[in-house]
Each structure stands twice: as C-alpha cells, then as structure tokens.
Amino acid sequence: MGSSNGLAVGETVPDLSETLVRPGGETAETSLSSLWADSPVLLSFYTNDFTPDCLSEWCSFRDYDWFNSTDDVQVVGVSKSGVPTHRWFLDFLDLNFPLYADTDLTLTKAFDVYYRAFKVAPRSRRSCFLLDTDGVVRYKWVGEHPVDPTRDQPPISEIHEVIVEEFGGNESETFGL
C-alpha cells in the first residue's frame, strides 16, 4: 500500500508552485506561499475530479457553510486532474474553492502522500493539511482505508474544530443552506 504518512505537524512546507484553477476558470501558476501569506490554508489532496468519493468530499466542503463564509482559512484542493477537468468540476459542483492541477504529482510527493492505487495508478492519498501563515503544518489527516486510502473521507467537523482552536473565528456549525 505504501508508507506515505504525510508531512509531520510542525514541519515547514516547501514553497512550490503549480497551476491553480480558480472558480470562474481563471488559471495562474501560484506558489503555496502566496496563498498562506493571505491566511491559513487547508490543502485537501484527493484522487481525481468526478470520482464518486471525490464528489462526496467536495460536496461536503461546499455544503458545510462555514468553509464558504469565512476569511479565517482558505480551502484549496489538490489532485492530478488537469486544468480543463478542474474547470468543469468547479462549475458542475458550483464550488467556491480553487484547485491545484498537480498533474505530475509534485505537490503530492512534497507532502509525502504519493500512492499507487492497486500498485498501478499513481495518485494522491486522500489527506488534508492545515498550514499557518508561515507555511507550518498545524494539523494533518491522512486516509488509512485498509484497501485503498484514496477512499477515506476527511473528518470535516474535526477539521473545523481544529481551525477554530488554532486560529479562532466562526464557531457556528451549519450544514447546507
């Protein structure tokens, strides 16, 4: 299955750049540091756009209003899907989160969440990393599904609690509209 456990809490993230696709379809080569300079960042690594588990994960982030209505943290997705697929995914799900097109898995490898599904298909292990404004990992969650760790779902409520604890902000929990 692989032994990638992700960067450790307290570790400083390498400042890498990849193509970031924003809601509305704009793209730009964007460094991680330019994101965390504005506010803490929750990087959510996932397999591919439009896989059933990924649809469920991103609908959870979208429907958990707190992630959409606060400036306390930026939610940013990372997958090996390319720019055109990200644009379609953002539009299809009406997401307000930017997505990194990590087509060569550079970010995935740097965060130590590289995985080969069934020892064949390279992808990101489903995982989340909360980065502070200095690029330090303050929280991590890495999927540990016994057969395929790309199938686990991030603990949205736990992530929200950690963000409130670490950075303050909106403590209300609302699901849906």
Side-chain angles (χ1 to χ4, degrees):
M1 186 167 28
S3 62
S4 57
N5 295 317
L7 293 178
V9 171
E11 204 167 336
T12 300
V13 172
D15 186 20
L16 300 171
S17 295
E18 285 289 348
T19 302
L20 189 68
V21 182
R22 295 194 179 273
E26 310 84 37
T27 62
E29 190 77 9
T30 305
S31 68
L32 289 170
S33 63
S34 69
L35 295 177
W36 74 56
D38 293 334
S39 67
V41 175
L42 177 67
L43 276 183
S44 181
F45 289 84
Y46 65 104
T47 309
N48 281 313
D49 297 338
F50 294 104
T51 60
D53 295 328
C54 295
L55 286 166
S56 174
E57 175 182 349
W58 285 100
C59 286
S60 294
F61 278 122
R62 179 198 65 204
D63 295 344
Y64 198 107
D65 271 352
W66 184 82
F67 287 113
N68 285 320
S69 62
T70 183
D71 293 326
D72 295 326
V73 66
Q74 301 172 72
V75 177
V76 179
V78 183
S79 84
K80 70 177 192 170
S81 296
V83 170
T85 309
H86 275 341
R87 284 181 175 141
W88 187 25
F89 191 64
L90 287 163
D91 187 51
F92 181 77
L93 292 180
D94 193 29
L95 297 178
N96 293 320
F97 310 112
L99 304 173
Y100 272 116
D102 190 26
T103 56
D104 61 1
L105 298 173
T106 298
L107 291 174
T108 298
K109 291 173 184 173
F111 277 78
D112 192 27
V113 290
Y114 180 84
Y115 172 74
R116 284 191 174 273
F118 307 108
K119 299 183 181 179
V120 177
R123 57 185 54 175
S124 301
R125 182 181 296 263
R126 193 176 308 274
S127 52
C128 294
F129 295 87
L130 180 61
L131 313 177
D132 67 17
T133 56
D134 294 319
V136 175
V137 177
R138 300 285 288 270
Y139 166 87
K140 80 171 185 178
W141 171 84
V142 178
E144 296 179 0
H145 190 280
V147 175
D148 184 0
T150 64
R151 300 197 61 166
D152 282 339
Q153 293 293 312
I156 302 294
S157 294
E158 178 181 294
I159 292 169
H160 174 258
E161 290 171 15
V162 169
I163 290 169
V164 169
E165 182 180 301
E166 292 287 329
F167 305 112
N170 185 347
E171 295 188 32
S172 67
E173 294 185 24
T174 59
F175 290 89
L177 300 174

